[in-house]
Amino acid sequence: MFVFGNLFSGAAYVLKLLLDLYFWVIFARSILSWVRPDPFNPIVKTICMLVDPLTYRISKIIPTRIGMVDVAPFILMLIVIFLEKFLVGTLFDMGMRMK
């Protein structure tokens, strides 16, 4: 049974790393929205490709414009934090109980 415990603990750790990385990608995208970076830069294109589809969906569901500020990236960051606390915590607890 300890094998499955280690599997769940490892999956929780990898998921935490991925969600942390995605959080910082969202943060970078929000900083990039304040300045005018080169839209043909491959790094800028990749960041926009990773974040913009989800912020667009959030904006379609909830009105996210407050004046000139778009809070969709902030809402997406909250969703990532929730997923990290809920999913990673659950997987880690399941892994610890199976050891």
Side-chain angles (χ1 to χ4, degrees):
M1 214 50 164
F2 69 92
V3 174
F4 291 114
N6 289 335
L7 177 70
F8 281 124
S9 295
Y13 184 72
V14 169
L15 185 61
K16 181 182 176 356
L17 288 176
L18 291 175
L19 288 173
D20 282 342
L21 177 66
Y22 192 64
F23 179 88
W24 289 108
V25 169
I26 298 167
F27 184 77
R29 176 64 180 119
S30 64
I31 298 298
L32 287 175
S33 71
W34 296 347
V35 296
R36 294 287 180 180
D38 179 20
F40 299 108
N41 185 334
I43 295 172
V44 173
K45 286 171 67 172
T46 303
I47 290 173
C48 291
M49 183 184 67
L50 290 172
V51 176
D52 287 348
L54 292 175
T55 56
Y56 177 72
R57 288 184 185 147
I58 291 171
S59 296
K60 286 187 76 164
I61 297 170
I62 304 168
T64 58
R65 286 260 178 220
I66 300 174
M68 293 189 64
V69 177
D70 187 17
V71 295
F74 178 69
I75 294 171
L76 187 57
M77 287 173 141
L78 290 176
I79 291 170
V80 168
I81 291 169
F82 171 78
L83 288 174
E84 184 175 334
K85 296 296 180 189
F86 179 72
L87 288 179
V88 172
T90 302
L91 282 174
F92 188 70
D93 286 344
M94 286 174 60
M96 294 311 278
R97 289 181 188 194
M98 289 185 175
K99 286 187 176 184

